[in-house]
Amino acid sequence: MNFLLEIGTEEIPHWMIPSALDQLSKLDLLAAAPSLEATPRRLVVRASDVPERTPDREEIVKGPPISAGEKAAAGFAKKQGVDPSEVKPTGGYYELRKRIPGRRTIDILAESLPAAILAIQWPKTMYWTGGKTGPRFIRPIRWIVALLGDQIIPFEIAGVKSGNITRGHRQLGSSSIPVTIANYESELRNNFVILSAAERREKIRAEASACGAKVAQALACGTKIDPDLLETLTFITEYPTGIRGDFDPAYLELPAEVLTTVMRHHQKYFAVESSPGILAPHFVAVMNTSRDPDGLVKKGNERVLRARFNDARFFWDTDQHKKLADRLDDLAHVTFQAKLGSYKDKTENVVTLVHELAGSEHAQRAAMLCKCDLTTEMVKEFTDLQGVVGGLYAKAQGEPEPVWHAVYEHYRPVGMEDSIPETPEGQIVSLADKLDTLRGCFSVGLAPTGSKDPFALRRAAQGVVKILVEARLDYRLDQLASGDLRDFLIERIQHYFREVRGFKYDEVNAVFAAGITTLADVEDRLSALAQIRPTENFEPLAASCKRIRNILKQAQFQPNGAALKSDLLEAGPERDLAGRLAAFVCEGETDYGLRLLKIAAFRPQVDLFFDKVLVNAPDPNIRANRLTLLSNLLSEFSTIADFSEIVTSGDQKQ
């Protein structure tokens, strides 16, 4: 049977919808796979092949032990409502094989759906009926469609009864639309609701691109489709339609970053470019309606944008009356964190840290200026522009290019998909800023716990890792962090190399077990290990390394700096292996890939050693010497990665 559930609400915040759909995907539909869609006013679950009823089943109910006697068995039968003859002695106990008849699916869903709907977790909820004891949801539930085949699944939430009546677009559609599962989506479309988020997304993309292309084909204008904005618009509209708007070219005197931020973050408009990176005096707005025949929506959007641009121009002009460097003392009145002081305190810490990290004079100057834009009118109004505004103001005020560029990009990367700062100065200022935040918060007990991370320390740590690796900065981890912060950074480093870079977990474990120096060195060792792993000798040698480690552990062997005694080596495989190892050490290959290849080539001699040589020799001196040989071998092999951490096929069979 086919199933349809539509939860109709007031408009749900767009950023909460994906999580709600993810939770609804776990709805128990008796093994039927749900498909999900959403608009701002409805969450929809559909499924096919839902069984009409659950099958009959047999349940074994264990009763009293046989030793309790027949009276106990009779009492058990009476309690279960069956004849005593149905209770059988089995395995030391009386048991009853009880037949449980199946149930109609519609009855099961009628019981389970109200609780499942109200169990959706939201960042915030509200109650709209019944006071504080009433049901809570993200927005008031206004209607519910619940169908199984051609039947209504009967239930009620907060006085709203389920039925087969949906609603169309708030302005363009009907407020009462009878539907069946078969015509549900088409009836919504007839009432100006595009149910498919993918279809709405593509409609926005196509119409926004078309609007940009119509502006001036000679200039090859194009709409700049911002992916995050596209996703937002997809989930704040039910029938999106793109329209082009225009603004006075005089506003193009303001930096493109300011204009784009106003359009994107404050008005949800797409910017239009005349060429890559060059704004044209146009924008694309997305209406939640079908058309704008009289141009009223276009004019309204242009009027609002003009006012926002005037504000931005006023803030720009006002802020220029005071240079960034003169704003440093103003940061004393801006709190960074109650236990860590003001942004002036933080700035001084970052400058000191940049100096400790051997940053140039330009980097130290950028560190001093990087937070000063927090006191500007522009950033107070457009908080998304912090850092960017500082860089633009520093440029306008004549600061050297390395300085203003470092200020401009010092918040990067803001996520795993973001790029690191382009300049060395930007990289070191960004690193110092994030590292200071981490050190400070850890020092006052504000480390993340569970899912709580109010100061975004995981993101800051991931930024530190990304910069260290991708800029190949020559700082050892121990220089930057110790104690709990070092452990926290190691977790982030492991996450980066596993989840972002795609190295296997045992490869990461093997390299980390061999020691952490710089992250560039860790990356090089991981790359070499991953490249050599498919070769024929690698896995058998890894298995031998595990064997060596176990032998040394069982023997409780401690090297204590003892040298290998050549006169105790037995001619043949033992002496050959020792000689090969000595030559390898003297050779001192520094290329990790070549070194690992040569280590893997030891495999035949290691195998022969174990086949022909008794490690636990009766003579204690010979035994100690052989353990020393194995210890030296394992130590030399483990300079790049600890092979014993590699999961081999033999491990997987165990």
Side-chain angles (χ1 to χ4, degrees):
M1 302 181 73
N2 293 328
F3 167 81
L4 167 64
L5 172 68
E6 179 190 63
I7 308 164
T9 70
E10 300 293 336
E11 279 75 3
I12 302 171
H14 66 90
W15 57 276
M16 297 185 187
I17 291 176
S19 173
L21 292 180
D22 182 61
Q23 294 176 68
L24 283 171
S25 70
K26 300 175 178 63
L27 200 64
D28 183 6
L29 298 176
L30 306 180
S35 64
L36 300 108
E37 290 292 355
T39 76
R41 299 177 67 217
R42 68 200 76 225
L43 302 172
V44 179
V45 185
R46 291 182 288 183
S48 57
D49 299 324
V50 178
E52 186 173 356
R53 62 182 295 116
T54 60
D56 296 345
R57 60 189 176 88
E58 190 177 73
E59 183 180 272
I60 297 176
V61 183
K62 183 176 286 189
I66 295 173
S67 60
E70 293 184 0
K71 286 188 177 181
F76 171 63
K78 183 177 181 180
K79 183 178 180 181
Q80 294 296 322
V82 299
D83 188 271
S85 63
E86 295 184 43
V87 176
K88 307 295 183 184
T90 306
Y93 288 86
Y94 289 105
E95 289 184 352
L96 169 65
R97 291 185 175 274
K98 196 171 185 179
R99 180 179 172 276
I100 309 295
R103 296 184 63 200
R104 295 195 313 159
T105 299
I106 194 168
D107 296 331
I108 296 172
L109 292 175
E111 292 174 4
S112 65
L113 285 177
I117 292 169
L118 294 176
I120 297 174
Q121 297 294 309
W122 304 94
K124 295 181 180 180
T125 56
M126 61 182 292
Y127 48 84
W128 64 99
T129 183
K132 293 184 178 181
T133 60
R136 298 178 69 91
F137 207 65
I138 179 59
R139 292 290 184 267
I141 295 175
R142 297 305 189 197
W143 76 93
I144 301 170
V145 175
L147 299 173
L148 185 64
D150 58 1
Q151 292 183 285
I152 293 172
I153 304 170
F155 63 90
E156 182 177 327
I157 296 177
V160 179
K161 293 183 178 180
S162 60
N164 66 338
I165 307 297
T166 187
R167 300 184 187 182
H169 189 282
R170 188 180 286 279
Q171 281 83 37
L172 304 176
S174 171
S175 60
S176 179
I177 309 168
V179 294
T180 65
I181 292 178
N183 70 9
Y184 169 70
E185 191 163 354
S186 62
E187 284 296 304
L188 284 180
R189 188 180 297 275
N190 292 339
N191 285 271
F192 296 94
V193 175
I194 299 175
L195 182 62
S196 167
E199 186 178 342
R200 296 199 305 277
R201 189 180 296 112
E202 189 52 40
K203 188 175 190 290
I204 295 170
R205 187 195 306 276
E207 293 184 5
S209 299
C211 288
K214 291 177 182 177
V215 174
Q217 293 182 359
L219 293 176
C221 283
T223 306
K224 188 176 182 181
I225 303 295
D226 179 273
D228 292 336
L229 177 56
L230 177 61
E231 202 65 14
T232 296
L233 291 167
T234 297
F235 285 108
I236 65 172
T237 59
E238 292 197 312
Y239 196 88
T241 302
I243 59 168
R244 194 203 83 206
D246 310 299
F247 59 84
D248 189 338
Y251 290 116
L252 294 176
E253 295 174 0
L254 288 169
E257 295 90 341
V258 173
L259 299 177
T260 301
T261 296
V262 171
M263 286 188 277
R264 182 178 68 244
H265 290 290
H266 295 273
Q267 301 305 129
K268 297 183 176 63
Y269 300 158
F270 292 113
V272 176
E273 296 181 336
S274 57
S275 60
I278 306 299
L279 289 183
H282 314 287
F283 64 92
V284 175
V286 175
M287 310 180 295
N288 187 27
T289 187
S290 59
R291 58 196 184 95
D292 182 27
D294 300 321
L296 297 179
V297 177
K298 177 179 185 293
K299 291 176 182 177
N301 280 293
E302 290 173 342
R303 182 175 63 253
V304 172
L305 186 61
R306 183 165 58 248
R308 299 294 285 179
F309 279 174
N310 283 334
D311 289 344
R313 184 158 58 187
F314 172 78
F315 297 143
W316 178 276
D317 293 340
T318 300
D319 288 339
Q320 298 311 311
H321 296 155
K322 189 173 186 177
K323 290 191 172 183
L324 282 180
D326 297 333
R327 295 176 178 273
L328 186 59
D329 289 338
D330 296 342
L331 289 175
H333 307 294
V334 182
T335 301
F336 168 56
Q337 203 281 328
K339 295 180 180 180
L340 296 174
S342 68
Y343 267 98
K344 185 178 181 183
D345 298 323
K346 177 171 178 58
T347 297
E348 291 170 352
N349 293 341
V350 174
V351 172
T352 299
L353 189 49
V354 168
H355 178 73
E356 291 175 0
L357 296 174
S360 66
E361 290 185 7
H362 285 322
Q364 293 177 50
R365 174 73 175 176
M368 187 188 78
L369 299 178
C370 69
K371 302 300 178 185
C372 291
D373 66 349
L374 295 176
T375 68
T376 65
E377 298 303 315
M378 185 74 80
V379 169
K380 289 176 185 177
E381 181 67 18
F382 304 115
T383 56
D384 296 321
L385 286 173
Q386 57 187 286
V388 171
V389 161
L392 294 173
Y393 284 3
K395 181 180 181 182
Q397 294 164 12
E399 294 288 345
E401 194 276 341
V403 174
W404 71 256
H405 205 152
V407 174
Y408 182 95
E409 61 184 0
H410 85 277
Y411 280 103
R412 291 165 49 187
V414 293
M416 275 294 98
E417 303 303 319
D418 193 19
S419 58
I420 66 171
E422 297 174 357
T423 65
E425 293 82 7
Q427 292 161 4
I428 199 169
V429 173
S430 178
L431 177 65
D433 178 33
K434 292 171 174 58
L435 197 56
D436 173 69
T437 298
L438 289 163
R439 286 180 176 180
C441 288
F442 268 75
S443 71
V444 295
L446 296 176
T449 56
S451 61
K452 295 182 180 180
D453 187 10
F455 294 96
L457 298 185
R458 290 187 180 91
R459 186 172 66 185
Q462 209 65 67
V464 167
V465 173
K466 194 172 171 71
I467 292 170
L468 289 172
V469 176
E470 297 180 19
R472 300 188 65 80
L473 298 183
D474 194 26
Y475 303 118
R476 297 173 65 93
L477 182 61
D478 290 342
Q479 291 177 260
L480 305 178
S482 59
D484 290 343
L485 177 54
R486 183 181 185 276
D487 294 340
F488 179 70
L489 283 174
I490 287 177
E491 290 178 4
R492 294 293 91 197
I493 297 167
Q494 291 173 327
H495 172 84
Y496 172 82
F497 282 117
R498 288 195 311 261
E499 307 301 328
V500 179
R501 298 296 299 278
F503 291 104
K504 295 178 180 179
Y505 80 94
D506 59 338
E507 294 169 352
V508 174
N509 292 345
V511 167
F512 274 59
I516 308 172
T517 51
T518 69
L519 298 198
D521 179 67
V522 170
E523 179 187 35
D524 290 343
R525 286 188 280 146
L526 274 168
S527 297
L529 183 61
Q531 184 179 2
I532 300 305
R533 185 167 189 165
T535 60
E536 63 175 349
N537 287 326
F538 179 86
E539 187 170 302
L541 187 64
S544 294
C545 286
K546 294 178 191 291
R547 183 177 180 182
I548 292 171
R549 184 172 294 283
N550 289 334
I551 289 171
L552 295 173
K553 182 179 180 180
Q554 290 171 6
Q556 298 181 337
F557 179 76
Q558 298 295 331
N560 298 323
L564 188 67
K565 298 175 181 178
S566 59
D567 59 313
L568 295 179
L569 296 172
E570 183 180 280
E574 182 180 12
R575 187 174 294 277
D576 291 345
L577 181 59
R580 175 88 181 266
L581 178 61
F584 176 74
V585 172
C586 292
E587 186 180 291
E589 177 63 64
T590 57
D591 182 286
Y592 288 146
L594 290 176
R595 186 176 179 83
L596 283 174
L597 275 175
K598 292 179 179 179
I599 288 174
F602 270 74
R603 178 254 179 124
Q605 285 167 293
V606 172
D607 289 349
L608 191 61
F609 173 85
F610 280 125
D611 286 343
K612 303 297 183 182
V613 177
L614 178 63
V615 175
N616 290 319
D619 186 319
N621 293 323
I622 294 176
R623 181 169 62 251
N625 202 52
R626 287 175 179 171
L627 291 171
T628 298
L629 173 59
L630 291 179
S631 176
N632 292 348
L633 190 70
L634 186 62
S635 176
E636 196 60 39
F637 285 2
S638 300
T639 54
I640 299 173
D642 184 345
F643 279 29
S644 65
E645 292 286 344
I646 296 296
V647 176
T648 64
S649 57
D651 298 321
Q652 295 168 348
K653 291 176 182 176
Q654 292 177 0

